[in-house]
Amino acid sequence: MSDRPLLNRRLDGLGTTIFARMTALAAETGAINLGQGFPDTDGPEAVREAAVRALREGRGNQYPPGPGIPELRHAIAEHQQRFHGLRWDPDTEVLVTAGATEALAATLLALLEPGDEVIAFEPYYDSYTAGIAMAGAVRVPLTLRAPDFRPDIDALRAKVTDRTRLLLLNSPHNPTGMVLSRAEAEAIAELAVERDLLVVTDEVYEHLVFDGEHVPFVSLPGMRERTVSISSAGKTFSFTGWKVGWVTAAPALIAAVRTTKQFLTYVSAGPFQYAVAEALRLPEDYFTGLRDDLRAKRDLLSAGLRDAGFTVHPSAGTYFVTTDVASLGEKDGVEFCLALPERCGVVAVPNAVFHDDAEAGRTQVRFAFCKRPDVLSEAVERLGRLSA
Ligand code: PMP
Ligand code: GLN
């Protein structure tokens, strides 16, 4: 065989995701896994039963329709109207995907030509880097800096060139917990109109805003025809393994994304779609209860990390809190996270791996708080040994 590398050059360096690596490290060492963001308690029993019922009744056991089952597309549209006042046509403006991950990949592959520039907040959620690379496009980071990780709108403006095709937004933001304010979102929307940019907005944590409000980006003036909104059932219903996500957008954008999505998975798992359709219709107090529960967990973990000597940057949303380990005398977050399971039996994720500007995230470390309170308390107790 020739010695040409097997993995194409566009994907050079992507290797195995940091989440998979850290979860494997937790399994190997028996450490508490505050690395990968998944809850350690399943979502509502009624929703799980709905999936079982669909399986038993033979609903979705054969290929469901490519765009998603009508029941789910209608439920997605109703949910968006109930919570955000947005109206979508379930037949032409809603597309069901295999999680937000496929929605992101399908969208980027559909909308980008090789060489197009994509401006995205860094630290980036890992699949953005991969999706942009697979499309042959060029990522342009807008670095969110501690302590508050707010986007610098003037810096964003300066990054737009004639090659910029789209803005890739994420609010609430993984890993920093930053939630865009309405004023920031409006300023970004104005720029998108002025420079005629497409916008892809990842809002998988739309129900997990603890401070402030979630502003659906597409609700802003001029955004309807240029925005692809992405969300997912994983975080909202605590079933991250089900991989049901969706895209909402104007018909022409949906048609473009559907074209690529057809050849990635064609469809996502049928019975789960029936269950998620029921989940989206749960009463309001389910959604506020989930948020309040996670807010309490955020507070528990943040206070414990502070007591353990970490600098804790406030998180206004998501499953995550970003800390700085320089206050513990550490110089490198990656080394710190690799040693942490041995040192005290906890796994976390270094933010540096989500950066092009590695210096900006060098000593930042992300912890997930979507775990049972007793697990968080035990983790905090173990982390307390670091400064003892
Ligand atoms: N976007 C962000 C910001 C995420 O944190 C995640 C992880 N859930 C995803 C997308 C992927 O979501 P899914 O599991 O639905 O593919
Ligand atoms: N979104 C999860 C996180 O940020 C991970 C999902 C995954 O492993 N792809 O931890």
Side-chain angles (χ1 to χ4, degrees):
M1 269 203 7
S2 83
D3 51 11
R4 178 179 145 180
L6 292 174
L7 183 67
N8 76 60
R9 258 180 295 142
R10 292 189 303 285
L11 303 188
D12 211 15
L14 290 179
T16 304
T17 86
I18 186 69
F19 307 120
R21 274 161 50 207
M22 287 304 175
T23 289
L25 189 60
E28 267 163 41
T29 58
I32 297 177
N33 188 358
L34 304 188
Q36 194 174 31
F38 61 90
D40 57 359
T41 314
D42 284 346
E45 189 56 33
V47 176
R48 196 160 29 167
E49 282 307 312
V52 172
R53 225 180 317 117
L55 272 165
R56 288 224 173 92
E57 291 169 4
R59 286 180 294 136
N61 290 338
Q62 307 304 330
Y63 292 132
I69 61 164
E71 289 85 340
L72 177 53
R73 284 186 279 112
H74 280 263
I76 290 165
E78 279 169 31
H79 168 274
Q80 294 250 336
Q81 182 163 10
R82 173 158 65 127
F83 287 97
H84 307 317
L86 295 165
R87 284 177 175 277
W88 296 109
D89 177 340
D91 294 326
T92 59
E93 298 185 313
V94 179
L95 175 67
V96 176
T97 57
T101 308
E102 190 203 24
L104 282 157
T107 301
L108 295 170
L109 288 170
L111 301 181
L112 294 170
E113 292 288 354
D116 281 348
E117 291 178 4
V118 176
I119 305 179
F121 299 144
E122 74 160 353
Y124 317 98
Y125 178 59
D126 70 341
S127 82
Y128 303 169
T129 320
I132 294 168
M134 287 190 282
V138 178
R139 65 176 186 270
V140 176
L142 180 72
T143 310
L144 304 180
R145 295 182 191 281
D148 57 8
F149 302 108
R150 307 243 59 95
D152 176 339
I153 306 292
D154 291 331
L156 173 60
R157 183 175 293 279
K159 284 181 187 274
V160 179
T161 72
D162 293 343
R163 290 178 303 281
T164 311
R165 177 63 167 159
L166 67 81
L167 303 178
L168 174 48
L169 307 177
N170 172 217
S171 176
H173 181 256
N174 178 6
T176 66
M178 181 277 295
V179 173
L180 279 182
S181 70
R182 183 170 288 276
E184 286 162 345
E186 281 171 355
I188 297 172
E190 271 171 36
L191 181 62
V193 172
E194 191 183 305
R195 301 301 301 264
D196 193 21
L197 305 175
L198 295 169
V199 177
V200 176
T201 174
D202 175 347
E203 302 183 9
V204 298
Y205 299 100
E206 62 186 295
H207 285 288
L208 298 181
V209 175
F210 314 124
D211 307 308
E213 59 169 336
H214 176 64
V215 179
F217 200 79
V218 70
S219 66
L220 299 172
M223 291 305 101
R224 179 86 184 197
E225 68 272 22
R226 65 179 72 246
T227 302
V228 174
S229 304
I230 292 173
S231 195
S232 157
K235 308 298 145 91
T236 299
F237 301 110
S238 305
F239 287 116
T240 60
W242 287 12
K243 301 298 294 187
V244 176
W246 51 88
V247 176
T248 44
L253 287 165
I254 287 290
V257 178
R258 194 172 52 224
T259 305
T260 47
K261 184 257 166 342
Q262 288 181 110
F263 303 112
L264 292 173
T265 56
Y266 179 51
V267 287
S268 59
F272 293 132
Q273 294 191 38
Y274 287 91
V276 172
E278 289 196 26
L280 285 164
R281 296 189 169 115
L282 285 169
E284 181 110 10
D285 60 1
Y286 165 74
F287 298 88
T288 50
L290 175 80
R291 181 199 61 205
D292 293 348
D293 179 56
L294 277 153
R295 182 194 283 122
K297 290 173 171 171
R298 172 201 66 175
D299 292 344
L300 173 64
L301 183 63
S302 300
L305 288 165
R306 219 169 273 124
D307 290 346
F310 291 77
T311 299
V312 177
H313 297 304
S315 163
T318 72
Y319 274 174
F320 311 108
V321 60
T322 285
T323 63
D324 198 308
V325 295
S327 56
L328 291 166
E330 300 290 335
K331 295 196 167 45
D332 187 281
V334 174
E335 280 171 24
F336 174 81
C337 287
L338 289 174
L340 198 58
E342 281 299 322
R343 285 177 72 188
C344 68
V346 175
V347 163
V349 167
N351 283 21
V353 301
F354 306 126
H355 275 273
D356 283 317
D357 177 359
E359 227 24 74
R362 174 82 62 203
T363 52
Q364 290 169 12
V365 170
R366 185 193 87 170
F367 289 86
F369 49 76
C370 47
K371 308 291 172 180
R372 294 190 310 272
D374 56 309
V375 173
L376 295 175
S377 298
E378 172 64 24
V380 161
E381 197 180 309
R382 295 183 184 187
L383 290 163
R385 290 178 212 150
L386 291 173
S387 52

